[in-house]
Amino acid sequence: MMRRVTPEVRKAGTGAGGRPRDPELGPAVLAAAAELVVRRGYHGVRMEELAQLAGTTKTAIYRRWPSRAAVLLDLVAQRMPPPVEVDAVLPSGMAGSAENEDVVAASRLLARSLSDPAVVHCVMGLLAEAVHQPELGAQFRAKLIEPQIAAADALVAAAKKAGRCPPWVSGALLADIMTGSVLQHVVVRGQPADDAFFAELAQFVGNALR
Amino acid sequence: MMRRVTPEVRKAGTGAGGRPRDPELGPAVLAAAAELVVRRGYHGVRMEELAQLAGTTKTAIYRRWPSRAAVLLDLVAQRMPPPVEVDAVLPSGMAGSAENEDVVAASRLLARSLSDPAVVHCVMGLLAEAVHQPELGAQFRAKLIEPQIAAADALVAAAKKAGRCPPWVSGALLADIMTGSVLQHVVVRGQPADDAFFAELAQFVGNALR
Amino acid sequence: MMRRVTPEVRKAGTGAGGRPRDPELGPAVLAAAAELVVRRGYHGVRMEELAQLAGTTKTAIYRRWPSRAAVLLDLVAQRMPPPVEVDAVLPSGMAGSAENEDVVAASRLLARSLSDPAVVHCVMGLLAEAVHQPELGAQFRAKLIEPQIAAADALVAAAKKAGRCPPWVSGALLADIMTGSVLQHVVVRGQPADDAFFAELAQFVGNALR
Amino acid sequence: MMRRVTPEVRKAGTGAGGRPRDPELGPAVLAAAAELVVRRGYHGVRMEELAQLAGTTKTAIYRRWPSRAAVLLDLVAQRMPPPVEVDAVLPSGMAGSAENEDVVAASRLLARSLSDPAVVHCVMGLLAEAVHQPELGAQFRAKLIEPQIAAADALVAAAKKAGRCPPWVSGALLADIMTGSVLQHVVVRGQPADDAFFAELAQFVGNALR
DNA sequence: CTTTAATCGAGACGGTACGTCCTGTCTTATA
DNA sequence: TATAAGACAGGACGTACCGTCTCGATTAAAG
């Protein structure tokens, strides 16, 4: 007997029938969350108000995300720029680059991950909550941090092969330094992440990679 | 006209008569807060439980601090190691040091500010709350960050005068990089701040200061 | 002008075409409701669980009944024994009965209306809901109470004609006393409706009718 | 050593110090509940609205009562008239009363327990909830029913001693009949509990007690 | 044999209330 | 005046349930 194949492969979670999820609802919630998080901060995102602003109800939100933290985590994952792409920074023909300007440029991109204020506010709140909520921390790292580290590793590996990076530098270290410095500068010290700061940082890193 | 003193959050010893404050109570609260913050994280520090663990009541705590954040801020201020002392790192007779090992050593001290887990957890929570609570952020920076920057500035100035530091390096940048990298490594990525990491970081900084 | 028939709660078989209703589904729902109402009480009958126990879905139930109360009302109407039939109790030839044992026997039947625990639980819940839901109350009385009163009235009229019942006794009063006493005894006081109680009650009524 | 006696025996639950409960708050909640229950019925009493109407908050209500049902139970207990007092009905000098009018009068009082509409609505809702919530049912009976039964028992015992009541009549039976009949008449059938009904009922009972 | 129309299972949706939890303020009696 | 004790107002949380809705699939009678 031939298995009956459903004519259309459904993309919704469980697989079978039922009223399909409103496709506009999820994005609307994330957009509302982004607005609220910059208006009121991480703890100012109240589920009731979030639902109202998104034109829906708490119930619908909790059907998609298990908690408020999960919503904000998804918000960050969506707004965070994708990690550095090696090929975009180290084009094949660029082999004999006089200095290591290409690696430095890539590092600048890494640092600019935290340029969106909504992202910054969410990240702080999530980290504070994740400290003693291991599952949240694991998801946070899997969704946001590990791709970044992987990209940095690939970047460093390519640079090493081309002789433009000392062998003792690791991608993880580079990522820690770039994003960490921005975090400290912006969030902890409350300073603007302007071009002057990025220039200083780039010069520091460029000097270290000599 | 006599200024009306709000009974709450009065500094101890303002007036004359009355029962004196129990001098052991304040420290007991901070100790209990340190224990709770590592057990349950920043948001896990409930005022009722904190009071109970410190052997007192909420009333007594709120007489000393205006809010939960203020308690945790004081906790950090107390547990945070004092900022680097220039004289301890750059002794007068050490002038012609072959390399820049002394500045690197000072930077390591700067980085080790965040070695206490209680401090790390508090800092994250306080920052998350401070994002939309400007007064808290100002106090945070005045108590914790500005002394650090000042110390780093003094350190860098002395090193520059001795020719062991490039002129484009600022103390603020050095502090941002050192503490920020540790913050990222420990809190965001959840990695241990062990000697291997500090060594990598020191080598990076040492290379940059050449 | 053709009347627009709302698709919901349509009587089965109104129009022509279309898939016919599953005839086993309605009874299955009532049976499941009976089971649930004795297991968990009136408010414990959740529509989702009811549907699942009946092997169907909420949709199918709401196509047949407009609300949860309507389902339970139908359950009572089905499980409630039919009201007393005069002829069954007062056979024509039994005219000169020495006592009034026949009326007493009829009253016992009246009282036994509430012997089914599912019925008792439903009745309580329905009444509680009907207090401020006049339409539900009206349906409740029309379906369950008025037939009982009518039967009691007929019974009393026949008994009066045969001289076995004082002229000041009405069927409504008799019904109130018999069913009300059982309600109080069983539901309010939580006592079993056993033979001893019915005997006591019958003796009381028999004495009153002398 | 003499035990220190607190100068004033506190009536509040736990016994020791602390801010005393607002004595007006409990009565205000019960009054508000009475108003809401007649306006909207048992299920229409929402905790939030109840709190607001009483000029307080949900928290304060839940500190005094464990659940909504407990509030309404207390409301009934307060509004329900006290059970019949034998001495008030059977004065010592009234021994040779021609008929049994005194017992009948007492029964009428018994029946009038359900004259308050707020009481009736609450009783119905409580009973519906108590069906499968044994603890609530037990409290309901202990607070409301058992005193009534005890009073009826005392009444019947005194009447028997004076020869104005048949030996086979129990107080419980009399209470079941009186209150149950009213319950049925008012709640189930939706008829008014007017004098005509009470007269009919009294005549029936008076006849039975002959 | 196709069209039509109503049913079915499945499950998302808006809405509403629940009871819990926590913060920061207050009101007592006692030390 | 400080303390322990605990009630208070206020507000958000996440859960649970109701009754409605929107799908695709199914099932018969009508055309």
Side-chain angles (χ1 to χ4, degrees):
Chain A
M1 176 189 167
M2 290 189 58
R3 201 167 66 78
R4 282 281 268 109
V5 177
T6 13
E8 215 181 341
V9 177
R10 219 173 307 278
K11 64 187 77 167
T14 43
R19 174 176 178 173
R21 290 191 168 177
D22 185 340
E24 300 176 13
L25 211 147
V29 170
L30 289 182
E35 186 179 335
L36 280 180
V37 89
V38 300
R39 275 223 303 260
R40 309 206 206 292
Y42 182 82
H43 293 105
V45 181
R46 315 292 173 195
M47 295 307 274
E48 186 64 53
E49 191 182 12
L50 173 60
Q52 196 174 336
L53 188 59
T56 181
T57 54
K58 276 200 300 179
T59 315
I61 298 180
Y62 279 108
R63 195 174 296 116
R64 286 172 166 74
W65 293 277
S67 67
R68 195 187 55 156
V71 179
L72 278 318
L73 177 57
D74 259 22
L75 172 63
V76 174
Q78 183 199 272
R79 306 277 284 226
M80 193 105 130
V84 196
E85 304 239 341
V86 183
D87 299 339
V89 191
L90 297 173
S92 51
M94 201 183 171
S97 146
E99 287 290 332
N100 45 27
E101 284 166 9
D102 45 359
V103 186
V104 173
S107 299
R108 287 175 88 139
L109 286 182
L110 214 52
R112 284 192 196 275
S113 307
L114 294 171
S115 55
D116 185 345
V119 166
V120 173
H121 296 174
C122 279
V123 164
M124 293 312 299
L126 286 169
L127 288 174
E129 262 193 284
V131 166
H132 273 89
Q133 213 167 319
E135 201 167 343
L136 177 61
Q139 285 186 13
F140 181 90
R141 286 172 197 118
K143 280 199 175 180
L144 303 178
I145 305 306
E146 279 163 20
Q148 211 178 41
I149 301 295
D153 274 334
L155 171 72
V156 163
K160 278 179 186 168
K161 195 181 296 176
R164 287 188 310 272
C165 183
W168 51 266
V169 170
S170 71
L173 178 65
L174 201 59
D176 279 354
I177 290 172
M178 296 312 293
T179 56
S181 300
V182 178
L183 199 67
Q184 175 79 9
H185 190 73
V186 173
V187 179
V188 180
R189 287 188 47 216
Q191 302 296 321
D194 51 13
D195 285 337
F197 172 67
F198 281 122
E200 264 194 302
L201 190 56
Q203 186 162 16
F204 191 93
V205 173
N207 229 32
L209 294 182
R210 263 186 292 116
Chain B
M1 174 192 166
M2 291 191 56
R3 200 167 67 77
R4 191 71 167 69
V5 178
T6 6
E8 304 302 324
V9 201
R10 189 180 2 234
K11 284 280 195 300
T14 37
R19 172 177 175 172
R21 286 192 175 173
D22 184 340
E24 300 175 13
L25 215 147
V29 170
L30 287 182
E35 185 178 336
L36 277 181
V37 89
V38 301
R39 276 222 304 260
R40 307 207 206 292
Y42 181 82
H43 293 108
V45 181
R46 313 296 173 194
M47 296 307 275
E48 188 64 54
E49 191 182 12
L50 174 60
Q52 191 175 339
L53 188 60
T56 178
T57 57
K58 280 201 301 178
T59 316
I61 298 179
Y62 278 108
R63 195 171 294 114
R64 288 168 167 76
W65 293 276
S67 68
R68 191 187 58 153
V71 179
L72 278 317
L73 179 58
D74 259 22
L75 173 63
V76 175
Q78 182 198 272
R79 305 277 284 226
M80 193 106 129
V84 196
E85 305 242 339
V86 184
D87 300 339
V89 191
L90 296 173
S92 51
M94 202 184 171
S97 145
E99 289 290 332
N100 46 25
E101 282 166 11
D102 45 359
V103 186
V104 173
S107 301
R108 288 178 88 138
L109 286 182
L110 213 52
R112 282 191 197 276
S113 310
L114 295 170
S115 55
D116 184 345
V119 166
V120 173
H121 296 173
C122 279
V123 164
M124 292 311 299
L126 287 168
L127 288 173
E129 263 194 282
V131 166
H132 272 88
Q133 214 167 319
E135 199 168 345
L136 178 60
Q139 286 186 14
F140 181 90
R141 287 177 195 112
K143 276 199 178 180
L144 304 177
I145 306 304
E146 280 164 19
Q148 211 178 38
I149 300 297
D153 272 335
L155 172 71
V156 165
K160 277 180 187 168
K161 193 181 299 176
R164 287 189 310 271
C165 184
W168 51 267
V169 171
S170 72
L173 178 66
L174 202 59
D176 279 354
I177 288 173
M178 296 313 291
T179 56
S181 299
V182 178
L183 207 63
Q184 176 79 10
H185 190 73
V186 174
V187 179
V188 180
R189 289 190 43 218
Q191 302 295 323
D194 51 14
D195 286 337
F197 172 68
F198 282 123
E200 262 194 303
L201 192 56
Q203 186 163 17
F204 191 93
V205 172
N207 226 32
L209 294 182
R210 261 187 295 114
Chain C
M1 175 191 166
M2 291 191 55
R3 201 168 67 77
R4 186 80 165 64
V5 177
T6 5
E8 304 301 325
V9 202
R10 187 178 7 231
K11 283 281 195 298
T14 35
R19 173 176 178 172
R21 287 189 175 175
D22 184 340
E24 301 176 12
L25 214 147
V29 170
L30 288 181
E35 185 178 337
L36 277 180
V37 88
V38 301
R39 275 223 303 261
R40 309 206 205 292
Y42 181 81
H43 293 107
V45 181
R46 313 294 173 195
M47 295 308 274
E48 188 65 53
E49 190 182 14
L50 174 61
Q52 193 174 337
L53 189 60
T56 180
T57 56
K58 279 200 301 178
T59 315
I61 298 179
Y62 278 107
R63 196 172 292 115
R64 288 168 169 77
W65 292 276
S67 68
R68 192 186 58 153
V71 179
L72 278 317
L73 179 58
D74 259 23
L75 172 63
V76 176
Q78 181 197 271
R79 306 278 284 226
M80 193 107 130
V84 197
E85 305 243 340
V86 183
D87 299 340
V89 192
L90 297 174
S92 52
M94 200 182 173
S97 147
E99 289 290 332
N100 45 27
E101 284 165 9
D102 43 1
V103 186
V104 173
S107 300
R108 288 178 88 139
L109 286 182
L110 214 52
R112 286 194 196 273
S113 311
L114 295 171
S115 55
D116 184 346
V119 166
V120 173
H121 297 171
C122 279
V123 164
M124 293 312 299
L126 287 168
L127 288 173
E129 264 193 282
V131 166
H132 273 88
Q133 214 166 319
E135 198 168 346
L136 178 60
Q139 286 187 14
F140 180 89
R141 287 177 195 113
K143 278 198 176 179
L144 303 177
I145 306 304
E146 280 164 18
Q148 211 178 42
I149 301 296
D153 272 335
L155 172 72
V156 164
K160 278 179 186 168
K161 195 181 296 175
R164 288 191 306 273
C165 184
W168 50 266
V169 171
S170 70
L173 178 66
L174 202 58
D176 279 354
I177 290 173
M178 297 312 292
T179 56
S181 299
V182 177
L183 207 63
Q184 176 80 10
H185 190 73
V186 173
V187 180
V188 180
R189 288 191 43 218
Q191 301 296 323
D194 52 11
D195 285 339
F197 172 67
F198 283 123
E200 262 194 303
L201 192 56
Q203 184 161 16
F204 191 93
V205 173
N207 226 33
L209 293 182
R210 261 186 292 114
Chain D
M1 175 191 166
M2 291 190 57
R3 201 168 66 76
R4 282 281 268 110
V5 177
T6 12
E8 213 181 339
V9 176
R10 221 174 305 277
K11 67 188 76 162
T14 42
R19 175 176 175 171
R21 291 192 169 176
D22 185 340
E24 300 177 13
L25 211 148
V29 170
L30 289 181
E35 186 178 336
L36 279 180
V37 89
V38 300
R39 275 222 304 259
R40 309 206 207 292
Y42 182 82
H43 293 107
V45 181
R46 314 293 172 195
M47 295 308 273
E48 187 64 54
E49 191 182 12
L50 174 60
Q52 196 173 336
L53 190 59
T56 180
T57 55
K58 277 201 299 179
T59 315
I61 298 179
Y62 278 108
R63 194 173 299 116
R64 287 172 166 73
W65 294 277
S67 67
R68 196 187 53 156
V71 179
L72 278 317
L73 177 56
D74 260 21
L75 171 63
V76 175
Q78 182 199 272
R79 306 278 284 226
M80 193 104 133
V84 196
E85 304 238 342
V86 183
D87 298 340
V89 191
L90 296 175
S92 52
M94 200 183 172
S97 147
E99 287 291 331
N100 46 25
E101 283 164 11
D102 44 0
V103 187
V104 173
S107 300
R108 288 176 88 139
L109 286 182
L110 215 50
R112 285 193 196 273
S113 308
L114 294 171
S115 55
D116 184 345
V119 166
V120 174
H121 296 173
C122 279
V123 165
M124 295 308 303
L126 287 168
L127 288 173
E129 262 193 285
V131 166
H132 273 88
Q133 214 166 319
E135 202 167 343
L136 177 60
Q139 286 186 13
F140 181 89
R141 287 174 197 115
K143 280 198 176 180
L144 302 178
I145 306 305
E146 278 164 21
Q148 211 178 42
I149 301 295
D153 273 335
L155 172 72
V156 164
K160 278 179 187 168
K161 196 180 296 176
R164 288 189 308 272
C165 183
W168 51 266
V169 170
S170 72
L173 178 65
L174 200 59
D176 279 353
I177 289 173
M178 296 312 292
T179 58
S181 299
V182 178
L183 199 67
Q184 176 79 11
H185 189 75
V186 173
V187 180
V188 180
R189 288 190 45 217
Q191 302 295 323
D194 51 14
D195 285 338
F197 171 68
F198 282 122
E200 265 194 301
L201 191 55
Q203 184 162 18
F204 190 94
V205 172
N207 228 30
L209 294 182
R210 261 186 293 114

